[in-house]
Amino acid sequence: MTFDTASLRDPRSKGRHIKACLTQQVLYQKSTGLERFDFVSQALPEIALSQIDLSVSLAGRALSAPLMIAPMTGGDRRALVINHRLARAAQRWGLAMGVGSQRVGIEDGSRARYFELRSQAPTALLFANLGAAQLVKGWGRDEALRAVEMIRADALFIHLNPIQEAVQGGDLDFRGVADRLSRLCEALEAEGVPVFAREVGFGISKQAARQLLACGVSGIDCAGAGGTSWARVESVCADSERERLMGERFGEWGIPTSDSILNVRRVSRSLPLIACGGLTNGIELAKALALGADVGGMARSLLIKACQGEDALNRFIADTLDELRICMFGTGAATVAALRGTLTPTAPV
């Protein structure tokens, strides 16, 4: 496929996004909604902390813990350094990891090398990543398989970001995206590649969950509001006053992460579910799992630590998983699945 040069994504946006996400300017004022729930503490848990099992499965692969390094970046030199640190952490801790949009690597093959991860994470579960809007423009099986091969991925994310695209004046036509996604899911199933749909942080409604289920996705990342607002990211990175203003105006748009989890689970109790959006510690991770997620994803929190260095990143992951274990110990949950139902609402849901 040849590409219209006028519509190509500017690869410099990768660096601008990283710089913006390291600031407080990109954060939602609204919360994830997880504070509306508390764990029911069990004084007689009848389990040993040392015997708690954090292992889960996702996309047909075993993980050592229910934590995902959520898609953030890729496509330039700085992003490669960051992703290599994250990939080594994924390998060390047995976590899943996704990369940021690979559009620039598809449009400009010389940038594909900036997405290489397998050398750092030979056995980790890796997700490739393309945008849903590109499906409308004719991308399909071939481009998806190129993205998968680019990082030797095990699965593919198709990310959904209409508000971000509208704010930045990017891809503004999402007509027919569900039909194109359905066809892609069918085509990649034949290739043995699971396709997960993911929001970038504006949440998933019950209607969207039903539509995605009908499309045949293998799972959903319901990434909700409460952490990084990608409208605000685009406002910080804007080239024009109008884009800056639109990004700020829509900075609070989105369904909180807790509601996004519940929306998906009201539609399907069994569809594999990743919950991302504003998780910053192991207690919040545990709450996301208790609400119904199979895996919790972190992006900005891990990005900050990765930029501080490998030691800081690994200490953060260790602390996060210890906090998760303590939550499980305090609720009597010996397994991640046993966390379900251990929360009580502190406010109407």
Side-chain angles (χ1 to χ4, degrees):
M1 175 181 287
T2 58
F3 303 105
D4 175 10
T5 55
S7 67
L8 299 184
R9 182 68 84 209
D10 183 354
R12 294 174 298 177
S13 65
K14 298 295 186 179
R16 292 197 294 264
H17 284 164
I18 293 172
K19 184 177 179 180
C21 287
L22 292 173
T23 73
Q24 297 284 320
Q25 294 173 271
V26 301
L27 297 179
Y28 277 98
Q29 295 176 17
K30 73 170 64 173
S31 74
T32 61
L34 294 170
E35 76 285 350
R36 294 182 293 147
F37 301 89
D38 276 336
F39 284 106
V40 178
S41 184
Q42 297 299 337
L44 298 171
E46 292 291 343
I47 58 175
L49 183 64
S50 61
Q51 297 301 309
I52 285 173
D53 183 7
L54 296 185
S55 65
V56 294
S57 63
L58 185 69
R61 293 282 304 279
L63 302 176
S64 298
L67 175 61
M68 180 169 198
I69 299 172
M72 283 176 261
T73 190
D76 66 16
R77 289 183 179 85
R78 186 184 186 193
L80 181 63
V81 171
I82 292 169
N83 275 344
H84 274 190
R85 287 179 184 169
L86 294 168
R88 287 192 291 271
Q91 180 68 27
R92 174 176 176 173
W93 296 97
L95 311 180
M97 177 179 173
V99 297
S101 173
Q102 292 169 261
R103 176 178 171 180
V104 296
I106 299 291
E107 292 176 340
D108 180 357
S110 69
R111 291 192 170 270
R113 68 187 187 278
Y114 294 130
F115 286 95
E116 190 282 318
L117 292 182
R118 269 298 171 210
S119 63
Q120 310 300 309
T123 62
L125 171 60
L126 297 182
F127 279 73
N129 189 354
L130 290 178
Q134 302 313 300
L135 302 183
V136 179
K137 293 185 174 182
W139 290 29
R141 173 188 175 277
D142 291 347
E143 290 77 17
L145 291 177
R146 283 173 62 187
V148 169
E149 180 57 30
M150 192 184 299
I151 66 168
R152 293 161 59 195
D154 306 285
L156 173 70
F157 276 134
I158 295 295
H159 67 261
L160 311 164
N161 64 338
I163 289 296
Q164 181 188 6
E165 294 291 349
V167 164
Q168 69 177 331
D171 296 311
L172 306 179
D173 189 349
F174 273 66
R175 291 174 298 177
V177 68
D179 177 63
R180 298 287 300 187
L181 179 57
S182 295
R183 283 188 269 170
L184 181 66
C185 289
E186 183 178 357
L188 263 62
E189 183 180 15
E191 301 289 341
V193 179
V195 176
F196 280 54
R198 79 175 306 267
E199 242 293 349
V200 302
F202 300 105
I204 295 289
S205 67
K206 284 189 287 185
Q207 178 183 343
R210 290 190 193 97
Q211 289 175 296
L212 291 170
L213 190 63
C215 287
V217 298
S218 297
I220 293 175
D221 182 341
C222 65
T228 301
S229 166
W230 276 91
R232 285 213 166 93
V233 172
E234 296 300 344
S235 178
V236 172
C237 298
D239 292 323
S240 71
E241 180 60 22
R242 182 185 182 280
E243 290 176 14
R244 186 201 65 76
L245 179 61
M246 285 296 167
E248 192 55 36
R249 287 265 174 87
F250 286 89
E252 291 299 305
W253 183 280
I255 302 167
T257 297
S258 58
D259 293 327
S260 295
I261 297 169
L262 294 172
N263 285 342
V264 175
R265 281 293 170 242
R266 285 163 180 153
V267 171
S268 172
R269 296 178 63 85
S270 60
L271 186 70
L273 178 60
I274 304 165
C276 188
L279 304 186
T280 63
N281 57 55
I283 298 172
E284 293 170 347
L285 170 60
K287 286 185 177 183
L289 298 169
L291 283 179
D294 297 295
V295 172
M298 292 186 180
R300 183 175 180 272
S301 297
L302 292 171
L303 175 65
I304 290 170
K305 296 301 179 181
C307 290
Q308 292 173 357
E310 219 138 340
D311 288 345
L313 176 61
N314 284 308
R315 281 197 303 271
F316 178 79
I317 294 173
D319 288 346
T320 297
L321 297 183
D322 280 347
E323 290 159 2
L324 171 59
R325 286 189 188 91
I326 293 171
C327 286
M328 294 172 67
F329 184 61
T331 57
T335 65
V336 174
L339 265 176
R340 299 272 182 97
T342 59
L343 289 176
T344 183
T346 59
V349 178

